[in-house]
Amino acid sequence: METENKRKSNFSAISINRITAKRFRAYSKTVSKSHSETIDTMIDFFEKAKITPKSEVIISFIRFQNYMIGRFDYIEELLRRMEREHLKPTHDMLKSLFDGTALKREKQQPLLLDKASIQMTREEWNMEEGKVSFNKYHNVIMARGNDQRTFSKVLNSIVKVEPTFGKPYFKVEIDETELDGIRQELTGRE
């Protein structure tokens, strides 16, 4: 009994910030009847748990909590995106099928044209069927033959050179006049 009377009668003043004092008074009302009991309860909690606000356990717990909150936010966004991009369109398609709105749409079919009823010139028929005129075909064959002759000229003029030092290499032995002629053949046709 005496210790309780001494405890009630012996008060000490602590200087704290007004804002902190206001916060403490509001918090104290939720924990116990008096400010002293609130502080005793808080100190007992920290002593029994053997933690301090600056201990590594609390700091790592807060980091883990923040990490988990971030992961939960990511999972929530992932689920919303999946719903928006995959589930809603599928739901809407199935709903339209069951409601019959997809079947009610009129499908426009392309007009069927009879080839016999269309009047085309001989050139249009040949182009449609992929035929080429004899003159164009002959020109292509002649150009291919000229290209082969020109290519064989160049190939025949290639000589392998093996120097005393270094790697062997190929050398093209063509006069300037022959080279100009080949250039004119290849570029003149285009």
Side-chain angles (χ1 to χ4, degrees):
M1 222 16 147
E2 268 183 38
T3 55
E4 284 185 29
N5 290 338
K6 284 185 180 179
R7 193 173 192 186
K8 287 184 180 177
S9 62
N10 293 334
F11 288 101
S12 174
I14 300 175
S15 298
I16 55 174
N17 190 346
R18 285 184 187 168
I19 297 170
T20 308
K22 188 176 181 181
R23 283 179 57 208
F24 179 73
R25 286 188 188 108
Y27 177 73
S28 177
K29 289 178 185 176
T30 61
V31 175
S32 63
K33 296 178 183 178
S34 70
H35 301 311
S36 298
E37 288 179 23
T38 302
I39 290 178
D40 285 338
T41 306
M42 289 169 52
I43 292 172
D44 289 341
F45 170 77
F46 284 121
E47 285 177 349
K48 286 179 184 174
K50 295 182 181 176
I51 57 174
T52 64
K54 292 183 179 181
S55 71
E56 289 296 320
V57 174
I58 295 296
I59 292 171
S60 64
F61 176 75
I62 291 171
R63 282 186 193 143
F64 177 72
Q65 187 177 13
N66 290 336
Y67 172 77
M68 290 306 292
I69 288 171
R71 298 309 299 167
F72 288 138
D73 290 343
Y74 171 75
I75 291 171
E76 180 183 357
E77 178 59 32
L78 189 68
L79 289 173
R80 287 183 189 206
R81 190 176 77 215
M82 188 175 83
E83 178 184 9
R84 184 175 55 246
E85 293 177 0
H86 300 290
L87 299 178
K88 276 199 174 209
T90 306
H91 176 265
D92 292 343
M93 284 191 289
L94 289 174
K95 185 177 179 183
S96 68
L97 283 174
F98 286 121
D99 291 345
T101 55
L103 301 174
K104 291 179 184 176
R105 295 182 189 152
E106 294 181 18
K107 294 181 180 178
Q108 294 181 352
Q109 295 181 351
L111 297 174
L112 297 176
L113 298 175
D114 186 17
K115 286 192 176 185
S117 65
I118 301 174
Q119 293 186 1
M120 299 172 89
T121 64
R122 185 175 192 87
E123 291 175 7
E124 290 173 339
W125 276 106
N126 289 340
M127 287 182 68
E128 187 174 314
E129 292 177 1
K131 292 182 180 177
V132 180
S133 70
F134 176 75
N135 291 335
K136 288 183 181 178
Y137 178 74
H138 182 67
N139 290 341
V140 168
I141 295 299
M142 292 305 290
R144 187 179 293 165
N146 288 340
D147 287 346
Q148 287 176 351
R149 278 184 241 122
T150 306
F151 186 66
S152 65
K153 271 187 204 177
V154 173
L155 279 178
N156 290 335
S157 65
I158 295 176
V159 178
K160 185 176 183 181
V161 177
E162 295 187 19
T164 355
F165 299 105
K167 295 181 180 180
Y169 60 92
F170 293 100
K171 181 179 178 182
V172 179
E173 293 181 348
I174 296 179
D175 295 342
E176 282 187 51
T177 55
E178 286 184 70
L179 183 62
D180 289 338
I182 292 172
R183 280 188 188 146
Q184 286 177 358
E185 273 184 50
L186 294 175
T187 57
R189 231 178 310 132
E190 295 175 1

